[in-house]
Amino acid sequence: MKTPRFHKYKYNNTPDLQLHGQIARMSATEGMVLLKNTGNALPINPTMEKNIALFGISSYDFISGGKGSGDVNSAYTVSLADGLLNAGISIDSTLHNTYLSYIKEETVKLPPTTMEHPISRVSEMVVPASTINGLASTQDAAIITIGRLSSEGIDRNVHDDFLLSDTEKTLVENVCSAFHSQGKKVIVVLNVCGVVETASWKEQPDAILVSWLAGQEGGNAVSDILTGVSNPSGRLPMSWPLAYEDVPSAGNFPQVGSTENVDNTEYKEGLMIGYRYYDTQNKSVSYPFGFGLSYTTFKHANLKVSLKDDTLTVQVDVRNTGNVAGKEVVQVYISAPGKDMEKPAKELKGFAKTNILQGGEMETVTINIPVNSLASFDETADGWKLESGTYQVYIASDVENVQYSTAVEIPGKSI
């Protein structure tokens, strides 16, 4: 009822596409997640790192969106190569042209498909070690982009999708080895539709940024993060497991080439879906739910929790303790008594992002949580039930890292 269409919005054929592009660029940066930043490798120093060796086909053929219902209606797509050039950073022209030629030649070789939403992409290009070593001598830093595409009606698979392909693994290893031997940094950009395996290779690069499928202004948005125009403030909306076998649904989900679970797939996870499983079972992950780094640091203080009129109000002060302006995401997790029914160790029940805080600046964040959202469905009573008892309220930077906690008594009821 709040949509413009419901209020008989009068559309026109002359939208402000330039403004729409600016919004797309801004919203893309808001969701990008910095997974690693050893030695403050990012942001790129434009005075020291003017020339970049840009690897990976997705650096030049950037994925803006998925297929089918995940597609993006875009007038154009800015590649990472173009985004870096727009930011005033030079990329090696020979490597640039080699990738463009390879993509063009291999694209015409892709097999025809009758699928409504085809997701075939060119395989990653093999870059000789001698070429990488030569670039490590002439370029100031390296960026590798790894891409993954998905589509409505087509499930992802483990081999060469969740896992990096052999070519991608070799590329990361060779680039990191060559550039580190010259004292130069390597950054990996994950232009991906979802989780990829990182545990086996994440120690090699200096920085890892998840750009997701960032829309038509993707290349410019990634460049804004890489150069420090924007400070990353996105957080992971899912856990990144160490291995596919660690996923709670791994044994139930149909796999490519297997006849099991195809005709009838049973969901056996129960309440323990996603981060709830890893957290409750104390199972290690590569990156936890809610994780994300910044170019600055934040401190939380003065946690206050109050209950009034079936609303739990959580208040906390957030201060930027670094020197770089940025935004912090306050995450509120709650654990229920769990004495009458099964409950996860804790669940995310509220979150909020601050405004841009300058170094030393503080903001008080208030998050209101409806008490009814703490209820669970009681199968024996065929209805929703809110347990009575002591609930723990946590302020955390991610599901594994709690800064503050306090207890609150909540009376039970049927809903």
Side-chain angles (χ1 to χ4, degrees), residues 75 79 83 88 123 125 213 227 252 324 384:
S79 70
S123 299
M125 186 178 81
L213 308 186
T227 59
N252 312 323
V324 180
W384 291 87

Side-chain angles (χ1 to χ4, degrees), residues 239 246 248 271-285 287-289 333-336 343-348 394 396 398-402:
S239 305
D246 293 340
L271 294 174
M272 304 305 168
I273 297 173
Y275 74 89
R276 298 165 184 82
Y277 166 77
Y278 301 105
D279 187 44
T280 303
Q281 298 297 324
N282 292 314
K283 196 166 188 65
S284 297
V285 295
Y287 294 104
F289 175 87
Y333 294 85
I334 296 180
S335 63
K343 292 281 190 175
K346 56 181 175 290
E347 292 185 279
L348 180 72
Y394 307 95
D398 58 62
V399 71
E400 290 186 356
N401 294 285
V402 172

Side-chain angles (χ1 to χ4, degrees), residues 81-252:
D82 291 335
L84 290 171
L85 292 171
N86 293 338
I89 296 175
S90 297
I91 59 175
D92 185 80
S93 58
T94 300
L95 187 61
H96 183 181
N97 293 332
T98 301
Y99 268 105
L100 291 182
S101 296
Y102 171 81
I103 293 169
K104 183 178 180 180
E105 292 170 1
E106 293 300 312
T107 298
V108 298
K109 298 179 184 177
L110 291 174
T113 179
T114 57
M115 295 167 54
E116 183 179 0
H117 309 302
I119 61 171
S120 297
R121 295 193 79 227
V122 171
S123 299
E124 188 55 70
M125 186 178 81
V126 175
V127 183
S130 57
T131 299
I132 295 173
N133 291 333
L135 289 166
S137 299
T138 61
Q139 302 300 296
D140 300 321
I143 297 174
I144 306 168
T145 304
I146 294 171
R148 291 291 184 272
L149 179 60
S150 188
S151 173
E152 173 188 5
I154 301 174
D155 295 320
R156 297 180 63 200
N157 60 75
V158 178
H159 182 65
D160 292 354
D161 191 347
F162 171 69
L163 300 175
L164 267 59
S165 68
D166 291 340
T167 302
E168 289 169 333
K169 291 178 183 177
T170 300
L171 180 65
V172 171
E173 182 178 348
N174 288 348
V175 171
C176 289
S177 176
F179 277 77
H180 287 167
S181 70
Q182 299 285 336
K184 299 172 182 178
K185 68 183 65 169
V186 178
I187 300 146
V188 171
V189 175
L190 296 176
N191 177 206
V192 296
C193 56
V195 179
V196 294
E197 188 274 330
T198 55
S200 66
W201 58 269
K202 68 180 183 180
E203 298 303 323
Q204 299 177 58
D206 302 280
I208 304 173
L209 175 69
V210 184
S211 72
W212 310 111
L213 308 186
Q216 65 183 34
E217 285 284 336
N220 285 330
V222 173
S223 296
D224 286 342
I225 296 289
L226 296 181
T227 59
V229 172
S230 296
N231 192 341
S233 60
R235 300 293 183 266
L236 290 180
M238 77 289 276
S239 305
W240 286 44
L242 292 171
Y244 177 73
E245 291 73 23
D246 293 340
V247 177
S249 62
N252 312 323

Side-chain angles (χ1 to χ4, degrees), residues 1-11:
M1 292 175 66
K2 294 180 180 180
T3 63
R5 177 169 180 158
F6 185 83
H7 292 281
K8 302 190 184 305
Y9 163 76
K10 294 182 179 180
Y11 61 85

